[in-house]
Amino acid sequence: MKNLKELFEHQLKDLYSAESQLVSALPKMVKNASDSKLKKAFESHLKETKEQKKRLEEICTELGIKPGGEKCKAMAGLIKEAEGFIEEAESDEVMDAGLIAEAQRVEHYEISGYGTAVRYAKELGHKEIAQKLQKTLDEEYDADNKLDKLAEGRLNEEAMA
Ligand SMILES: [Fe+2]
């Protein structure tokens, strides 16, 4: 990579790979969540993730590059870890708590990736692309906040029991 433009393109491909992997992995999270609110949160984030993937395709088309060809190894690792956890959880309670933790790791990873991408887009003068990436970034923040609330809700329920 010789310049910021190439680095930006690399980051976009990396994000595209991350979103693609997540589209394949989220149904397993939906299936294993037992709390109905958590299940719904994963379902709605799956829909959102498909849109985010499409958004990246549009951005790549605008830039005249192909979104494929990279594998985001960090996301692969996060997903592998989540899948390993699913095998090990022995109660609904542990499963839900752990799924929230794994999902938040994913969101935080995406937040840092999109935060960087927004900055690079601005720096390179791609105003509309920066706005599109910002939209996804906002959605990732919302998803993370929703998971925070669900995690807190779990604690409150436990305290009441
Ligand atoms: Fe995403």
Side-chain angles (χ1 to χ4, degrees):
M1 283 169 257
K2 302 189 289 293
N3 49 39
L4 191 68
K5 178 180 169 282
E6 284 183 9
L7 178 59
F8 178 52
E9 291 172 0
H10 168 78
Q11 303 270 6
L12 290 173
K13 289 179 184 187
D14 203 71
L15 285 167
Y16 184 74
S17 163
E19 299 291 16
S20 304
Q21 291 182 59
L22 206 50
V23 167
S24 313
L26 271 166
K28 206 169 180 183
M29 312 272 281
V30 173
K31 199 181 133 214
N32 283 282
S34 66
D35 179 77
S36 64
K37 277 186 244 152
L38 183 59
K39 223 182 235 300
K40 270 203 196 108
F42 285 147
E43 267 167 9
S44 81
H45 198 53
L46 174 58
K47 261 187 225 154
E48 226 164 37
T49 302
K50 286 178 185 165
E51 285 304 312
Q52 294 170 349
K53 195 182 154 190
K54 240 190 257 166
R55 216 171 275 149
L56 285 169
E57 280 165 16
E58 287 166 18
I59 290 170
C60 287
T61 304
E62 281 167 45
L63 293 170
I65 56 167
K66 292 219 160 61
E70 278 300 323
K71 169 139 187 181
C72 176
K73 294 187 198 81
M75 183 60 83
L78 288 168
I79 290 171
K80 203 172 164 200
E81 193 176 288
E83 285 174 348
F85 162 73
I86 288 170
E87 300 298 313
E88 283 168 22
E90 287 180 12
S91 72
D92 288 353
E93 196 194 0
V94 168
M95 178 67 85
D96 282 358
L99 285 177
I100 291 172
E102 300 293 347
Q104 284 198 286
R105 282 194 173 88
V106 167
E107 290 315 316
H108 288 200
Y109 176 74
E110 291 193 287
I111 285 167
S112 68
Y114 278 103
T116 301
V118 168
R119 274 195 303 278
Y120 289 177
K122 283 182 185 163
E123 209 173 324
L124 291 163
H126 298 301
K127 212 175 153 197
E128 272 171 41
I129 289 173
Q131 282 167 355
K132 272 189 191 167
L133 292 167
Q134 182 68 49
K135 192 168 185 229
T136 298
L137 179 58
D138 292 341
E139 288 172 0
E140 309 291 20
Y141 272 119
D142 286 346
D144 184 47
N145 285 332
K146 215 193 266 179
L147 289 166
D148 253 341
K149 295 221 172 68
L150 286 167
E152 272 165 33
R154 280 194 53 261
L155 281 182
N156 293 338
E157 261 168 46
E158 248 171 70
M160 304 247 277

